[in-house]
Amino acid sequence: MELLHELKIGNVILENNIILAPMAGVTDRAFRLICKDYGVGAVCTEMVSSKAIMYGDEKTKLLLNTEGEKHPIIVQIFGSDIQAMKVAAKYVEKIADIIDINMGCPAPKVVKNGDGSKLLLNIEKATKIAKEVVEAVQKPVTVKIRKGWDNNHIVYEELAKNLEDIRNSRNNVAWKD
């Protein structure tokens, strides 16, 4: 297999399999434009808070400025409130080709609210969030996870299976590749 190859995520075809990862304070619009000019298959925004989107935070709207950018664009959202995640997904669907849910960030300011990798301690809730987001939007949804919260909570296999079940359900009902 070639190291560099076309990649398909849902119904979105990326020119190649190099994806700019979301990095807080780094992957702003200017950086994404430069990376896209250098040929990455897709760029991703900085992760954005679902609650900040739901409450119309102006700074968060600036993080979501993709004016003039080449597509495909991935927007990463995070949160543990199901309603806020649905609202955020619907909001970013207007600019995103792919919506990514962050269930992997271990930063203290993220996990203190039950967001990011803290969701790995509640697989039922993490699965429900992913299911609700997928059902709320028409765009492909991906999920960033870790192997677990810590060595006593290794949950990636269970969560990945749940996410795969959601994907399979969507492929059979909501849209086809």
Side-chain angles (χ1 to χ4, degrees):
M1 181 166 94
E2 289 185 44
L3 292 177
L4 196 61
H5 56 85
E6 186 178 274
L7 180 64
K8 186 175 181 186
I9 299 175
N11 57 355
V12 178
I13 298 173
L14 308 184
E15 182 179 319
N16 61 61
N17 58 332
I18 299 175
I19 299 172
L20 176 65
M23 296 173 278
V26 177
T27 53
D28 60 14
R29 183 174 167 271
F31 188 71
R32 292 191 307 266
L33 286 166
I34 291 167
C35 291
K36 196 63 178 168
D37 283 346
Y38 277 91
V40 299
V43 295
C44 189
T45 64
E46 298 180 58
M47 68 176 180
V48 292
S49 164
S50 59
K51 284 192 175 177
I53 292 170
M54 187 168 76
Y55 294 122
D57 180 72
E58 292 302 318
K59 289 181 183 176
T60 299
K61 288 178 183 177
L62 290 175
L63 293 175
L64 294 171
N65 178 6
T66 59
E67 186 178 331
E69 291 187 53
K70 297 176 191 170
H71 287 257
I73 296 172
I74 302 168
V75 174
Q76 187 181 77
I77 59 175
F78 75 94
S80 55
D81 178 278
I82 293 170
Q83 187 60 32
M85 288 294 284
K86 287 171 52 175
V87 168
K90 288 178 185 178
Y91 181 87
V92 303
E93 183 176 33
K94 299 171 204 157
I95 59 171
D97 298 292
I98 299 167
I99 300 166
D100 185 59
I101 301 172
N102 183 313
M103 293 187 186
C105 181
K109 72 179 187 176
V110 173
V111 298
K112 76 177 180 182
N113 298 317
D115 305 336
S117 61
K118 191 73 173 237
L119 285 167
L120 300 176
L121 290 174
N122 188 340
I123 298 302
E124 185 178 314
K125 185 172 190 177
T127 301
K128 177 82 170 154
I129 288 169
K131 184 177 189 307
E132 293 287 332
V133 167
V134 165
E135 289 176 354
V137 299
Q138 294 299 309
K139 301 288 175 82
V141 176
T142 58
V143 182
K144 173 189 170 184
I145 64 171
R146 294 179 173 273
K147 69 179 188 175
W149 173 252
D150 58 25
N151 288 333
N152 296 318
H153 300 90
I154 306 297
V155 298
Y156 70 94
E157 287 183 78
E158 180 183 355
L159 182 55
K161 183 188 179 322
N162 292 352
L163 297 172
E164 184 178 33
D165 289 345
I166 293 167
R167 180 189 64 90
N168 290 339
S169 174
R170 180 177 184 168
N171 280 344
N172 291 333
V173 178
W175 55 278
K176 299 282 183 196
D177 290 332

